[in-house]
Amino acid sequence: MNELVGWALLPLLLPLLAASAFCSCSETAVFGLTGADREWLRAQRPAAATRVEELLREPRALLVSVLLANCIVNTLYFVVTTAIALSLEQGIVTGLLIGVGTLVTLVLVGETLPKLAGNAARRQIVPWVAGPLLATHRLDRKSTRLNS
């Protein structure tokens, strides 16, 4: 019965990896924009440029929002992978292999590769990530004000 729980949780890993990749990629892409990139956005993608300008008005707060979102997603990823490993009840070696495998997967797929992509293709990526990133940032700012 426990093994069924593990298999049922497995589909959650992909959206969590995607959310981690989004945070990593968007952080690198937005904070890596040069003056020339921002001018290009204003000329070619004015709506995205407006979102980027709003995001970068408070760069420190934006960074906190992105890092907080990424921390939450990565924590959930490890909670789910731990629950999967425990539900399989295959012993300590299998548990360690699952732990190492999920860590390597998160570091590569959720962090490193998205940062490389965000750096290499800033102009192409920023128009796609600026809207969702701005929504995330606004939500974080609202929750911060409510907690103050």
Side-chain angles (χ1 to χ4, degrees):
M1 182 67 169
N2 279 343
E3 195 170 317
L4 289 175
V5 172
W7 291 112
L9 292 173
L10 199 59
L12 294 176
L13 295 180
L14 189 58
L16 290 170
L17 275 174
S20 180
F22 171 82
C23 291
S24 298
C25 181
S26 61
E27 173 196 350
T28 301
V30 171
F31 282 104
L33 288 171
T34 64
D37 292 334
R38 289 168 78 172
E39 296 246 347
W40 180 88
L41 279 172
R42 279 192 284 279
Q44 301 298 318
R45 305 293 296 266
T50 301
R51 290 185 204 104
V52 167
E53 295 305 321
E54 184 176 342
L55 285 165
L56 292 175
R57 270 189 217 124
E58 302 175 273
R60 187 176 183 161
L62 173 61
L63 184 60
V64 168
S65 294
V66 172
L67 293 177
L68 178 63
N70 201 21
C71 187
I72 291 168
V73 167
N74 290 348
T75 300
L76 287 172
Y77 175 84
F78 283 116
V79 167
V80 171
T81 58
T82 300
I84 290 170
L86 291 173
S87 72
L88 295 178
E89 298 176 351
Q90 295 295 317
I92 191 140
V93 173
T94 302
L96 285 172
L97 289 174
I98 290 171
V100 170
T102 56
L103 174 62
V104 169
T105 301
L106 182 64
V107 169
L108 289 176
V109 177
E111 300 292 331
T112 306
L113 295 175
K115 285 185 181 292
L116 290 172
N119 189 49
R122 288 185 299 274
R123 288 183 180 184
Q124 293 78 18
I125 290 172
V126 164
W128 294 97
V129 300
L133 187 59
L134 185 57
T136 302
H137 182 51
R138 286 176 177 164
L139 180 64
D140 180 49
R141 287 191 317 208
K142 284 183 183 180
S143 68
T144 302
R145 284 189 205 118
L146 288 174
N147 290 329
S148 296

